[in-house]
Amino acid sequence: MVAGRVAMATLAALSTSTSRPCSYRTGIERKFLCSDGLELAAKYWSSLNRNHNRTSVRTAPAESDAAENESKKFICLHGWLDNCASFHILSPSIVNRLSSSSSSSSSSRVDVEVLALDFPGHGLSGHRSPDCPMSLLSEYCFYACEAAEQLQWDKFSLIGHSMGAGVSVILASAWPEKVESLVLLEGLGPMTCDAKDSSKHVRRAVEKRMRSNKTLYNEDGTKRGSRVYKNIDMAINARVLTAKRSLGGHQYVSREAATLMVERAIVEADTKTSDSSSSSVSFRHDPRLNWPSLQYTTPAQLEAYWHNIDCPTMLVQADDGWPVPQAFADWSSKHLKLNCNVKLPGSHHNHADPDTADAVAENVVTFLEEYLIIKK
């Protein structure tokens, strides 16, 4: 595939421009067959894989390893219409820096494992069935828990960006005994709406679903094709423009970050361009992700989520990130206990943009060293 060749060329260029022993390219592709039949895709990085076969994921440490080393596990959850490639710098950085810092400061090494998921309908993961309600944020907790269970991870930390931060807040609240630490990137929780507007949201979601199903599905139940782009460059341009057109703040995403996310989110289209050296592509994400939610979190529910979180928590915001009204910031500070709160250069994807991602990684690792490694 042309898109695949472009992807490999881009990853090769990135890997030669960095000195990181563990990089996006060295991550292992992982698939999980969930109990509802959906196939979940992910990428996995680990300090363990420097001494073991890179083609497999160890579901549990060997007894000799467990006796000598502590193991810290992380699940990374991406934002809306992104995919796990948004963690292309942060995930391997956590493995490299956290395992290195622990070995230099302690006689026992800390083994570090990071799993970055593609949510259903995103990236390389499967789509949910036509009869399944979309955009219920708490539903994504099911898939994160399925992956953790299959890996036999009883305890783990969560790193969530934007929508993924919302899912992380719900998951950390519902399973406080499992979540050891929580890192929120550009997000404080699920989007809230006043309870008095619930009926309006139900009507809006149902009517959108009724209208869209008529154009989305063929008579045999299969999905119709998505918008076609002449080549991958045009798809990348569209992704960059989407960030610029986002409501609120001065939003942008680097072309480097957009390229990796797009390469994981496209398929070759049936139509061919006049230029034989390139193929037309379309995004493979589930178009139903653009539909309004059937149900939103109320402020009272979000307060309850915050209160139930029982682990060290960090918030990372960007200078040009998603704007947080002062009233919301004041309200959250009364209910969500933050052990670390930093504001760093960059925009909403500052953890993925090469110019700003190192600062995010450095701050995240410093937080994890203090609250997860030292304060055991």
Side-chain angles (χ1 to χ4, degrees):
M1 290 176 61
V2 172
R5 292 197 297 270
V6 174
M8 291 305 296
T10 302
L11 294 178
L14 283 172
S15 64
T16 56
S17 65
T18 178
S19 59
R20 297 184 180 92
C22 182
S23 66
Y24 179 74
R25 184 177 61 84
T26 61
I28 298 171
E29 290 290 344
R30 187 68 160 89
K31 298 287 187 181
F32 301 91
L33 183 59
C34 298
S35 57
D36 64 354
L38 186 139
E39 187 175 73
L40 201 65
K43 280 189 81 78
Y44 170 88
W45 299 263
S46 173
S47 59
L48 297 170
N49 286 336
R50 295 171 184 169
N51 301 315
H52 296 85
N53 189 339
R54 280 184 51 240
T55 61
S56 63
V57 179
R58 299 175 69 199
T59 58
E63 290 185 9
S64 59
D65 290 343
E68 297 178 4
N69 306 324
E70 184 181 8
S71 180
K72 292 300 180 184
K73 302 168 176 65
F74 300 85
I75 298 178
C76 298
L77 304 176
H78 63 78
W80 177 64
L81 292 183
D82 289 345
N83 53 60
C84 74
S86 68
F87 293 100
H88 70 109
I89 294 176
L90 184 55
S91 288
S93 291
I94 289 173
V95 173
N96 293 325
R97 301 185 190 194
L98 204 58
S99 58
S100 298
S101 64
S102 64
S103 60
S104 62
S105 61
S106 174
S107 58
S108 62
R109 188 179 77 246
V110 174
D111 293 325
V112 181
E113 300 176 75
V114 179
L115 183 77
L117 294 177
D118 285 338
F119 280 131
H122 298 77
L124 300 179
S125 286
H127 294 188
R128 302 180 71 193
S129 62
D131 61 341
C132 201
M134 300 301 295
S135 299
L136 289 176
L137 213 59
S138 54
E139 270 280 286
Y140 287 138
C141 292
F142 166 79
Y143 296 99
C145 288
E146 283 263 326
E149 183 178 76
Q150 291 186 35
L151 289 174
Q152 299 177 29
W153 287 6
D154 295 327
K155 291 184 179 294
F156 48 84
S157 294
L158 292 170
I159 302 176
H161 171 246
S162 194
M163 182 185 76
V167 178
S168 297
V169 164
I170 299 172
L171 206 159
S173 172
W175 287 271
E177 76 282 2
K178 289 182 178 290
V179 180
E180 294 187 303
S181 67
L182 176 64
V183 177
L184 304 175
L185 307 173
E186 281 283 288
L188 281 160
M191 183 183 297
T192 60
C193 288
D194 199 301
K196 65 181 177 61
D197 294 324
S198 297
S199 57
K200 297 178 183 177
H201 295 306
V202 170
R203 176 171 178 163
R204 185 166 158 238
V206 168
E207 290 181 347
K208 174 66 175 180
R209 185 176 178 183
M210 291 172 65
R211 290 194 307 271
S212 299
N213 276 347
K214 297 174 183 177
T215 58
L216 181 60
Y217 294 102
N218 297 312
E219 290 185 1
D220 61 359
T222 58
K223 278 197 184 111
R224 294 179 182 173
S226 302
R227 176 181 175 181
V228 175
Y229 296 85
K230 287 186 178 180
N231 51 54
I232 188 173
D233 283 336
M234 293 187 69
I236 294 169
N237 290 340
R239 180 64 186 88
V240 172
L241 285 174
T242 298
K244 291 181 179 179
R245 292 169 178 167
S246 295
L247 296 176
H250 176 53
Q251 303 292 310
Y252 58 87
V253 63
S254 69
R255 189 167 185 85
E256 294 89 342
T259 296
L260 287 176
M261 287 190 286
V262 168
E263 287 166 348
R264 195 173 177 86
I266 58 171
V267 292
E268 282 192 352
D270 292 334
T271 57
K272 296 291 184 180
T273 64
S274 57
D275 180 3
S276 60
S277 64
S278 64
S279 296
S280 55
V281 299
S282 60
F283 284 100
R284 69 176 306 278
H285 62 249
D286 194 330
R288 296 176 297 169
L289 294 169
N290 290 291
W291 294 1
S293 180
L294 187 67
Q295 187 177 56
Y296 291 93
T297 302
T298 66
Q301 288 175 313
L302 182 53
E303 282 186 14
Y305 288 144
W306 285 336
H307 282 293
N308 288 336
I309 293 173
D310 189 29
C311 66
T313 302
M314 177 186 195
L315 173 65
V316 178
Q317 294 176 292
D319 288 339
D320 292 320
W322 192 264
V324 178
Q326 189 58 49
F328 187 92
D330 293 341
W331 173 53
S332 66
S333 66
K334 295 177 182 178
H335 302 282
L336 174 63
K337 179 184 176 183
L338 292 175
N339 301 88
C340 183
N341 186 0
V342 297
K343 198 165 191 177
L344 300 173
S347 186
H348 190 56
H349 288 82
N350 65 346
H351 71 298
D353 294 334
D355 290 343
T356 55
D358 277 343
V360 175
E362 182 177 351
N363 277 269
V364 169
V365 169
T366 298
F367 163 76
L368 295 173
E369 286 175 336
E370 180 176 358
Y371 289 97
L372 188 62
I373 304 301
I374 298 176
K375 295 183 179 179
K376 294 186 268 188

